[in-house]
Amino acid sequence: MTTYQAIELDPWVALGDRTRRQIFGLLARRPRSVGELADELPVSRPAVSQHLKVLKGAALVQVRPEGTRRIYAVDADGLAAIRSELETFWSAALTNFKELVEADEPSGTTKEKR
Amino acid sequence: MTTYQAIELDPWVALGDRTRRQIFGLLARRPRSVGELADELPVSRPAVSQHLKVLKGAALVQVRPEGTRRIYAVDADGLAAIRSELETFWSAALTNFKELVEADEPSGTTKEKR
DNA sequence: ACGAACGGTAAGTTACGACTTACCAAGATG
DNA sequence: CATCTTGGTAAGTCGTAACTTACCGTTCGT
């Protein structure tokens, strides 16, 4: 229990790692086996395995057994989840900007003095 | 030179941290000073300062001096950047899914979700 | 000018994430 | 069955991110 063996359900944390984002990018292109991924990355196969575990814990990828191989693919639902969370930030920020532009706000929600 | 004082330009890494995502979420709602942020978070003010430095390095926030206070706000461009990167994953995955669906129709390979 | 408010930086501690190698389990293949 | 392939897991090392407290520079108020 030294590493990210523990359940990691935060997709942001999962994609926060460069290597995992690379893996995710490769899988977005097309599903691949663990070995295939490792071949295209500068890390060992076990490392890829561990990263996949995190991505899977974050519901960003899915596995499909195929003989002795495990074919990984991106999980559309998980991707949609983090996407919508980003949209939340986005719309909140946009709303905020609009209020700033309008500059004079009757409602007391915007003004804050301290 | 102990911490994230170094330039951090990766927005994914920046948002990978829970506290920073909280800060970012607060700023998305409305701009705030460092002290205001620290008041709403379970960490010290210097910690907030350090997180803001990372977010700024990732071009996710902007600063505006106002007296002795520094008003931080989300940077629309930075947010747009990470947003479009996510869209890249999204469209790639969608294309991939379509290919998969179109690919195996004849054989006994049926629908499989999750 | 003095002190308080505000915030950035330094320095140091601590926890944990990202690797590695070694080993083990399970399915294909002869 | 023996063995090769494929991958997940264990154990351990190492670097660094996320905190803390202490300190310092600025700007405002009196």
Side-chain angles (χ1 to χ4, degrees):
Chain A
M1 214 185 297
T2 340
T3 305
Y4 21 75
Q5 320 287 8
I7 27 167
E8 177 59 76
L9 30 67
D10 191 338
W12 289 101
V13 174
L15 290 183
D17 182 73
R18 279 203 151 278
T19 304
R20 275 198 295 268
R21 220 157 52 244
Q22 286 179 27
I23 292 177
F24 192 70
L26 288 171
L27 293 181
R29 279 299 164 196
R30 72 183 65 90
R32 297 162 203 258
S33 69
V34 179
E36 280 177 301
L37 289 171
D39 287 343
E40 310 200 40
L41 294 170
V43 297
S44 68
R45 192 193 46 68
V48 172
S49 244
Q50 291 159 358
H51 282 309
L52 286 170
K53 187 170 191 172
V54 176
L55 289 171
K56 189 157 183 295
L60 287 170
V61 301
Q62 294 175 333
V63 216
R64 171 194 9 134
E66 191 170 282
T68 68
R69 323 204 323 169
R70 307 279 187 137
I71 308 300
Y72 281 84
V74 322
D75 184 324
D77 294 339
L79 179 51
I82 190 174
R83 185 168 175 254
S84 80
E85 195 174 340
L86 226 196
E87 290 306 311
T88 301
F89 284 143
W90 180 256
S91 62
L94 280 194
T95 302
N96 175 38
F97 288 146
K98 284 187 177 168
E99 288 176 1
L100 285 184
V101 169
E102 288 160 8
D104 24 32
E105 207 53 41
S107 304
T109 343
T110 332
K111 278 298 191 83
E112 170 104 15
K113 264 303 172 55
R114 227 258 260 199
Chain B
M1 198 171 32
T2 339
T3 306
Y4 23 72
Q5 320 288 11
I7 28 166
E8 177 59 76
L9 30 66
D10 191 339
W12 289 101
V13 173
L15 291 182
D17 181 74
R18 278 201 151 282
T19 304
R20 273 195 299 263
R21 220 158 50 247
Q22 287 179 28
I23 292 176
F24 192 71
L26 288 172
L27 294 181
R29 280 298 165 198
R30 72 181 66 91
R32 297 163 202 259
S33 69
V34 179
E36 280 177 302
L37 289 170
D39 286 344
E40 309 201 42
L41 294 171
V43 297
S44 67
R45 193 194 45 69
V48 173
S49 244
Q50 290 158 359
H51 282 309
L52 286 170
K53 186 171 191 172
V54 175
L55 289 171
K56 189 155 183 295
L60 287 171
V61 300
Q62 295 175 334
V63 216
R64 171 191 15 130
E66 191 170 284
T68 69
R69 324 199 338 175
R70 307 281 185 137
I71 308 299
Y72 280 84
V74 322
D75 184 324
D77 295 338
L79 180 51
I82 191 174
R83 185 171 176 251
S84 80
E85 194 174 340
L86 227 198
E87 290 305 311
T88 302
F89 285 143
W90 180 257
S91 62
L94 280 194
T95 303
N96 174 37
F97 288 146
K98 285 189 176 170
E99 287 175 359
L100 285 183
V101 171
E102 293 165 1
D104 30 33
E105 286 309 305
S107 284
T109 318
T110 352
K111 285 217 330 186
E112 171 98 18
K113 231 8 180 7
R114 261 195 208 261

